[in-house]
Amino acid sequence: MLSNKSAIATLAVKDLTRAAEFYGGKLGLEPEASAEETEVLVYLAGGAKLFVYRSEFAGTNKATAATFVVGDELAPIVKSLTARGVDFEHYDTPGMELEGDIHSGGGMKVAWFKDPDGNILSLVSG
């Protein structure tokens, strides 16, 4: 029923202005030109969309909320985001080793970071 339908990552934030500075400014995501809602920011990420909306429950999720598949560009993207002031999280993940800000293991590489409201985002090699 849903196997051929698109899914959209939806993230709650407390302050849309601060979120726009982070998602557009630091992460470099492009806002959808047709988005005119004042309570929802819509960003384009590859062929997918990311909805960012205002909510009193922002930052209450303690698990990864959205993942960006970046392939071989993981290390340069981590370096670029670090230069833009993004701090990466380090987790004790079984079967994975930490090399700088990148966790690797089982043929996968991943880096986690948080938005200003504490939503956990990740970059994965693919």
Side-chain angles (χ1 to χ4, degrees), residues 1 14 17 32 57 61 76 105:
M1 173 177 13
K14 292 179 182 163
T17 301
E32 185 175 61
F57 302 108
N61 181 5

Side-chain angles (χ1 to χ4, degrees), residues 71-113:
D72 293 341
E73 297 177 65
L74 180 61
I77 290 172
V78 167
K79 184 177 180 179
S80 177
L81 290 175
T82 299
R84 291 178 178 207
V86 174
D87 294 321
F88 284 85
E89 301 293 308
H90 299 159
Y91 298 115
D92 184 16
T93 307
M96 298 194 95
E97 293 184 20
L98 182 62
E99 300 169 21
D101 289 321
I102 299 174
H103 297 73
S104 61
M108 180 178 76
K109 293 184 178 187
V110 62
W112 286 277
F113 60 98

Side-chain angles (χ1 to χ4, degrees), residues 27 45 68 84:
L27 300 188
F68 297 88
R84 291 178 178 207

Side-chain angles (χ1 to χ4, degrees), residues 2-100:
L2 297 178
S3 64
N4 64 345
K5 306 300 181 203
S6 298
I8 298 170
T10 306
L11 300 169
V13 300
K14 292 179 182 163
D15 183 328
L16 285 174
T17 301
R18 183 175 67 175
E21 291 168 0
F22 180 79
Y23 287 97
K26 287 193 178 189
L27 300 188
L29 294 176
E30 293 292 327
E32 185 175 61
S34 63
E36 296 186 17
E37 300 239 4
T38 58
E39 295 299 312
V40 178
L41 302 172
V42 180
Y43 290 98
L44 303 175
K49 291 183 181 181
L50 178 72
F51 285 3
V52 178
Y53 71 102
R54 186 185 331 266
S55 171
E56 66 182 282
F57 302 108
T60 59
N61 181 5
K62 301 302 178 200
T64 303
T67 298
F68 297 88
V69 181
V70 298
D72 293 341
E73 297 177 65
L74 180 61
I77 290 172
V78 167
K79 184 177 180 179
S80 177
L81 290 175
T82 299
R84 291 178 178 207
V86 174
D87 294 321
F88 284 85
E89 301 293 308
H90 299 159
Y91 298 115
D92 184 16
T93 307
M96 298 194 95
E97 293 184 20
L98 182 62
E99 300 169 21

